[in-house]
Amino acid sequence: MTEEKKWTPSFMRLSPSKINTYMKCPREFYYNYIAGIPEKKTIHLFRGSLVHKILERLFKYEFRSYKAWESGEPEKWMQEQFESGWEEKIAKHKWLWEIHSSEEMDAMKHETEDILQNFVKTVNKKLTEMVKWKIYRTKWQAWNAVAPKYAEKWVKSQDYAIVGVIDAVCSDFDNGVTLLDYKTSKRYGAYLPEDYYRQLIIYAFLYTLEMGEMPKFVGVNYLRFDDTFF
């Protein structure tokens, strides 16, 4: 008689998306993260990854100050990043063209370009209006309110084995902290769906543990519509 092997729990580092997957369907969680069955990848996944990567580099590396923004031609930089990123991250995957029509791929390309360029236009609009409406005296002062304090901030907890990436950490007038998550999907509404809400709660929890202060607000920024709900 063979000796029965004793079961021991494994150590798996969780993320908000893994937790949301489990809450939606434990079997899907098992297939994806335990059995390791490859998930079908689509253009939407690659597009979201590309947009998040470019927006991370926008404030974190390329335009860390208003001086850099003013003299650095952000619209041109954004266009160059989009074109090179699309070729490198999406166009080279020929199998994507086998599961998506040419019309769908072209539409996604134009949508992605619009989302990124609209983001730059929104920053410029905010800087101009904050001075126009006398919220700040100069765009230099307004920059600190518009640009995030951190872009793509990693937060984690060893005790709870959870890790997350917050797209933007911003400061308000009173130096209160707001956490933002960028969404590129067509999903929209003046409410937060349960999975988005849970994701933001986890970010707030991890941020509080790591930074020692609780954020005042958390929100979802729907990039496609230039709108944020907290």
Side-chain angles (χ1 to χ4, degrees):
M1 182 175 179
T2 58
E3 184 179 348
E4 185 176 348
K5 191 173 182 180
K6 184 179 179 181
W7 178 85
T8 57
S10 66
F11 180 87
M12 176 185 289
R13 189 171 66 171
L14 297 173
S15 66
S17 70
K18 286 181 179 179
I19 293 171
N20 272 330
T21 299
Y22 182 83
M23 298 300 291
K24 179 181 71 173
C25 178
R27 184 175 293 275
E28 181 181 348
F29 179 92
Y30 172 80
Y31 287 154
N32 290 349
Y33 304 114
I34 297 177
I37 298 175
E39 184 181 5
K40 181 181 177 181
K41 295 182 179 179
T42 67
I43 182 63
H44 303 280
L45 180 66
F46 283 92
R47 192 272 292 278
S49 177
L50 174 62
V51 169
H52 279 76
K53 195 64 181 176
I54 292 176
L55 293 184
E56 174 194 4
R57 289 157 63 182
L58 177 72
F59 290 120
K60 197 171 185 178
Y61 301 110
E62 193 67 22
F63 300 100
R64 299 177 63 181
S65 66
Y66 177 67
K67 181 178 180 180
W69 183 269
E70 185 181 38
S71 61
E73 297 183 290
E75 296 93 344
K76 180 181 177 182
W77 179 88
M78 183 66 82
Q79 189 64 29
E80 291 171 350
Q81 292 297 305
F82 161 70
E83 292 175 1
S84 62
W86 185 270
E87 287 300 315
E88 179 185 350
K89 305 293 185 184
I90 297 175
K92 75 174 185 178
H93 296 299
K94 301 303 180 184
W95 55 269
L96 280 173
W97 298 80
E98 297 175 1
I99 61 175
H100 297 285
S101 67
S102 297
E103 291 78 11
E104 189 177 5
M105 292 291 287
D106 288 342
M108 184 66 72
K109 183 176 181 179
H110 290 305
E111 283 181 14
T112 306
E113 182 179 8
D114 287 344
I115 286 173
L116 291 169
Q117 284 297 341
N118 285 342
F119 189 90
V120 175
K121 292 174 184 175
T122 297
V123 171
N124 284 326
K125 181 174 182 287
K126 289 177 181 177
L127 292 172
T128 299
E129 291 178 347
M130 283 185 174
V131 175
K132 177 182 177 181
W133 296 334
K134 303 186 186 306
I135 298 173
Y136 293 100
R137 297 202 306 190
T138 67
K139 290 184 180 180
W140 290 73
Q141 294 176 338
W143 174 260
N144 291 327
V146 173
K149 185 177 180 181
Y150 303 109
E152 290 280 312
K153 173 144 184 78
W154 286 76
V155 285
K156 60 186 180 299
S157 168
Q158 294 288 350
D159 292 338
Y160 294 96
I162 305 176
V163 64
V165 184
I166 304 169
D167 291 329
V169 179
C170 306
S171 295
D172 61 20
F173 289 101
D174 302 318
N175 291 320
V177 171
T178 295
L179 312 182
L180 291 179
D181 187 66
Y182 297 142
K183 299 295 185 186
T184 59
S185 69
K186 294 181 179 179
R187 199 171 180 178
Y188 181 82
Y191 64 93
L192 294 177
E194 185 178 358
D195 54 339
Y196 288 6
Y197 187 65
R198 186 182 296 114
Q199 179 184 13
L200 294 177
I201 289 174
I202 294 169
Y203 285 156
F205 174 67
L206 294 175
Y207 185 90
T208 303
L209 288 179
E210 186 158 317
M211 304 301 290
E213 63 173 330
M214 185 180 294
K216 291 177 68 175
F217 299 99
V218 290
V220 166
N221 183 334
Y222 293 99
L223 295 171
R224 184 187 299 267
F225 307 101
D226 183 29
D227 214 345
T228 304
F229 295 103
F230 297 95

